[in-house]
Amino acid sequence: MKWRNDILEESRGTLNQLQDGPIREPDLNDRASSETDWGIELRTRDRQRKLIAKIDAALRRIKEGEYGYCQVTGEPISLARLRARPIATMTLEAQERHERQERVSRDD
């Protein structure tokens, strides 16, 4: 919940800055740099929006008693993996298999 709340707080800060108005850099180079920075910031917020959905899904799995079990194999996900990635839905082995299959299908 703390991770989720931290992300939401950062998002509110970004929203407040966006509401302050457009970029008003008099120098074209400074304006281009500022616009690039904002583009990066907005992409980061979009990734974090998707992360919040994954956090919410993990919280739902906790309530339902499904947290910590691989959605592919049903095996327990290691504590080390869950500590490193609390939103993990697959064991490391299942995730590696999934990524290999994804890579192969992408190459076709």
Side-chain angles (χ1 to χ4, degrees), residues 23 25 27-39:
I23 299 169
E25 301 287 347
D27 182 71
L28 290 178
N29 290 328
D30 290 342
R31 182 178 297 215
S33 178
S34 292
E35 288 177 0
T36 299
D37 291 346
W38 272 112

PDB file of all heavy atoms in Angstrom, residues 23 25 27-39:
ATOM      1  N   ILE A  23       4.830  25.464 -21.045  1.00  0.00           N
ATOM      2  CA  ILE A  23       6.253  25.774 -20.912  1.00  0.00           C
ATOM      3  C   ILE A  23       6.491  27.158 -21.506  1.00  0.00           C
ATOM      4  O   ILE A  23       6.083  27.449 -22.624  1.00  0.00           O
ATOM      5  CB  ILE A  23       7.105  24.710 -21.635  1.00  0.00           C
ATOM      6  CG1 ILE A  23       6.866  23.345 -21.010  1.00  0.00           C
ATOM      7  CG2 ILE A  23       8.580  25.087 -21.613  1.00  0.00           C
ATOM      8  CD1 ILE A  23       7.451  22.194 -21.793  1.00  0.00           C
ATOM      9  N   GLU A  25       9.597  28.885 -21.870  1.00  0.00           N
ATOM     10  CA  GLU A  25      11.031  29.124 -22.025  1.00  0.00           C
ATOM     11  C   GLU A  25      11.233  30.035 -23.228  1.00  0.00           C
ATOM     12  O   GLU A  25      10.820  29.699 -24.331  1.00  0.00           O
ATOM     13  CB  GLU A  25      11.780  27.809 -22.239  1.00  0.00           C
ATOM     14  CG  GLU A  25      11.627  26.798 -21.134  1.00  0.00           C
ATOM     15  CD  GLU A  25      12.373  27.146 -19.877  1.00  0.00           C
ATOM     16  OE1 GLU A  25      13.230  28.051 -19.916  1.00  0.00           O
ATOM     17  OE2 GLU A  25      12.088  26.535 -18.842  1.00  0.00           O
ATOM     18  N   ASP A  27      14.063  30.794 -24.780  1.00  0.00           N
ATOM     19  CA  ASP A  27      15.056  30.249 -25.692  1.00  0.00           C
ATOM     20  C   ASP A  27      14.538  28.938 -26.287  1.00  0.00           C
ATOM     21  O   ASP A  27      14.042  28.073 -25.575  1.00  0.00           O
ATOM     22  CB  ASP A  27      16.371  30.007 -24.938  1.00  0.00           C
ATOM     23  CG  ASP A  27      17.462  29.482 -25.841  1.00  0.00           C
ATOM     24  OD1 ASP A  27      17.957  30.264 -26.669  1.00  0.00           O
ATOM     25  OD2 ASP A  27      17.793  28.290 -25.700  1.00  0.00           O
ATOM     26  N   LEU A  28      14.649  28.789 -27.606  1.00  0.00           N
ATOM     27  CA  LEU A  28      14.140  27.590 -28.275  1.00  0.00           C
ATOM     28  C   LEU A  28      14.815  26.314 -27.770  1.00  0.00           C
ATOM     29  O   LEU A  28      14.168  25.271 -27.637  1.00  0.00           O
ATOM     30  CB  LEU A  28      14.297  27.712 -29.785  1.00  0.00           C
ATOM     31  CG  LEU A  28      13.372  28.730 -30.464  1.00  0.00           C
ATOM     32  CD1 LEU A  28      13.665  28.781 -31.961  1.00  0.00           C
ATOM     33  CD2 LEU A  28      11.926  28.379 -30.214  1.00  0.00           C
ATOM     34  N   ASN A  29      16.103  26.393 -27.523  1.00  0.00           N
ATOM     35  CA  ASN A  29      16.824  25.216 -27.027  1.00  0.00           C
ATOM     36  C   ASN A  29      16.336  24.830 -25.629  1.00  0.00           C
ATOM     37  O   ASN A  29      16.165  23.646 -25.324  1.00  0.00           O
ATOM     38  CB  ASN A  29      18.328  25.459 -27.008  1.00  0.00           C
ATOM     39  CG  ASN A  29      18.913  25.528 -28.401  1.00  0.00           C
ATOM     40  OD1 ASN A  29      18.423  24.869 -29.309  1.00  0.00           O
ATOM     41  ND2 ASN A  29      19.943  26.336 -28.566  1.00  0.00           N
ATOM     42  N   ASP A  30      16.133  25.844 -24.783  1.00  0.00           N
ATOM     43  CA  ASP A  30      15.624  25.564 -23.438  1.00  0.00           C
ATOM     44  C   ASP A  30      14.217  24.981 -23.507  1.00  0.00           C
ATOM     45  O   ASP A  30      13.874  24.068 -22.760  1.00  0.00           O
ATOM     46  CB  ASP A  30      15.606  26.836 -22.589  1.00  0.00           C
ATOM     47  CG  ASP A  30      16.995  27.320 -22.223  1.00  0.00           C
ATOM     48  OD1 ASP A  30      17.946  26.515 -22.318  1.00  0.00           O
ATOM     49  OD2 ASP A  30      17.131  28.502 -21.861  1.00  0.00           O
ATOM     50  N   ARG A  31      13.396  25.515 -24.405  1.00  0.00           N
ATOM     51  CA  ARG A  31      12.034  25.015 -24.548  1.00  0.00           C
ATOM     52  C   ARG A  31      12.048  23.559 -25.022  1.00  0.00           C
ATOM     53  O   ARG A  31      11.310  22.722 -24.513  1.00  0.00           O
ATOM     54  CB  ARG A  31      11.250  25.861 -25.542  1.00  0.00           C
ATOM     55  CG  ARG A  31       9.806  25.382 -25.683  1.00  0.00           C
ATOM     56  CD  ARG A  31       9.049  26.246 -26.630  1.00  0.00           C
ATOM     57  NE  ARG A  31       8.995  27.593 -26.089  1.00  0.00           N
ATOM     58  CZ  ARG A  31       7.980  28.407 -26.216  1.00  0.00           C
ATOM     59  NH1 ARG A  31       6.934  28.023 -26.895  1.00  0.00           N
ATOM     60  NH2 ARG A  31       8.000  29.600 -25.698  1.00  0.00           N
ATOM     61  N   ALA A  32      12.891  23.252 -26.013  1.00  0.00           N
ATOM     62  CA  ALA A  32      12.983  21.881 -26.526  1.00  0.00           C
ATOM     63  C   ALA A  32      13.434  20.929 -25.415  1.00  0.00           C
ATOM     64  O   ALA A  32      12.901  19.824 -25.279  1.00  0.00           O
ATOM     65  CB  ALA A  32      13.942  21.817 -27.703  1.00  0.00           C
ATOM     66  N   SER A  33      14.388  21.377 -24.618  1.00  0.00           N
ATOM     67  CA  SER A  33      14.869  20.556 -23.511  1.00  0.00           C
ATOM     68  C   SER A  33      13.753  20.317 -22.496  1.00  0.00           C
ATOM     69  O   SER A  33      13.552  19.191 -22.020  1.00  0.00           O
ATOM     70  CB  SER A  33      16.061  21.237 -22.845  1.00  0.00           C
ATOM     71  OG  SER A  33      16.518  20.483 -21.758  1.00  0.00           O
ATOM     72  N   SER A  34      13.008  21.361 -22.175  1.00  0.00           N
ATOM     73  CA  SER A  34      11.900  21.240 -21.223  1.00  0.00           C
ATOM     74  C   SER A  34      10.821  20.313 -21.760  1.00  0.00           C
ATOM     75  O   SER A  34      10.265  19.498 -21.018  1.00  0.00           O
ATOM     76  CB  SER A  34      11.285  22.611 -20.925  1.00  0.00           C
ATOM     77  OG  SER A  34      12.197  23.408 -20.217  1.00  0.00           O
ATOM     78  N   GLU A  35      10.513  20.412 -23.036  1.00  0.00           N
ATOM     79  CA  GLU A  35       9.494  19.548 -23.630  1.00  0.00           C
ATOM     80  C   GLU A  35       9.936  18.088 -23.629  1.00  0.00           C
ATOM     81  O   GLU A  35       9.135  17.181 -23.390  1.00  0.00           O
ATOM     82  CB  GLU A  35       9.150  20.016 -25.036  1.00  0.00           C
ATOM     83  CG  GLU A  35       8.348  21.306 -25.027  1.00  0.00           C
ATOM     84  CD  GLU A  35       8.055  21.848 -26.417  1.00  0.00           C
ATOM     85  OE1 GLU A  35       8.484  21.218 -27.421  1.00  0.00           O
ATOM     86  OE2 GLU A  35       7.408  22.896 -26.498  1.00  0.00           O
ATOM     87  N   THR A  36      11.214  17.866 -23.869  1.00  0.00           N
ATOM     88  CA  THR A  36      11.753  16.505 -23.808  1.00  0.00           C
ATOM     89  C   THR A  36      11.639  15.962 -22.392  1.00  0.00           C
ATOM     90  O   THR A  36      11.224  14.819 -22.182  1.00  0.00           O
ATOM     91  CB  THR A  36      13.217  16.481 -24.273  1.00  0.00           C
ATOM     92  OG1 THR A  36      13.270  16.929 -25.621  1.00  0.00           O
ATOM     93  CG2 THR A  36      13.809  15.092 -24.169  1.00  0.00           C
ATOM     94  N   ASP A  37      11.996  16.788 -21.411  1.00  0.00           N
ATOM     95  CA  ASP A  37      11.888  16.374 -20.009  1.00  0.00           C
ATOM     96  C   ASP A  37      10.446  16.026 -19.650  1.00  0.00           C
ATOM     97  O   ASP A  37      10.187  15.032 -18.969  1.00  0.00           O
ATOM     98  CB  ASP A  37      12.397  17.473 -19.078  1.00  0.00           C
ATOM     99  CG  ASP A  37      13.902  17.668 -19.175  1.00  0.00           C
ATOM    100  OD1 ASP A  37      14.591  16.800 -19.747  1.00  0.00           O
ATOM    101  OD2 ASP A  37      14.389  18.720 -18.678  1.00  0.00           O
ATOM    102  N   TRP A  38       9.487  16.829 -20.122  1.00  0.00           N
ATOM    103  CA  TRP A  38       8.084  16.558 -19.839  1.00  0.00           C
ATOM    104  C   TRP A  38       7.632  15.268 -20.517  1.00  0.00           C
ATOM    105  O   TRP A  38       6.838  14.516 -19.960  1.00  0.00           O
ATOM    106  CB  TRP A  38       7.187  17.722 -20.265  1.00  0.00           C
ATOM    107  CG  TRP A  38       7.060  18.724 -19.174  1.00  0.00           C
ATOM    108  CD1 TRP A  38       7.549  19.993 -19.157  1.00  0.00           C
ATOM    109  CD2 TRP A  38       6.421  18.531 -17.910  1.00  0.00           C
ATOM    110  NE1 TRP A  38       7.262  20.582 -17.963  1.00  0.00           N
ATOM    111  CE2 TRP A  38       6.563  19.714 -17.182  1.00  0.00           C
ATOM    112  CE3 TRP A  38       5.749  17.463 -17.330  1.00  0.00           C
ATOM    113  CZ2 TRP A  38       6.059  19.855 -15.894  1.00  0.00           C
ATOM    114  CZ3 TRP A  38       5.243  17.606 -16.043  1.00  0.00           C
ATOM    115  CH2 TRP A  38       5.404  18.802 -15.343  1.00  0.00           C
ATOM    116  N   GLY A  39       8.113  15.033 -21.708  1.00  0.00           N
ATOM    117  CA  GLY A  39       7.775  13.792 -22.401  1.00  0.00           C
ATOM    118  C   GLY A  39       8.229  12.579 -21.608  1.00  0.00           C
ATOM    119  O   GLY A  39       7.486  11.600 -21.458  1.00  0.00           O
TER     120      GLY A  39
END
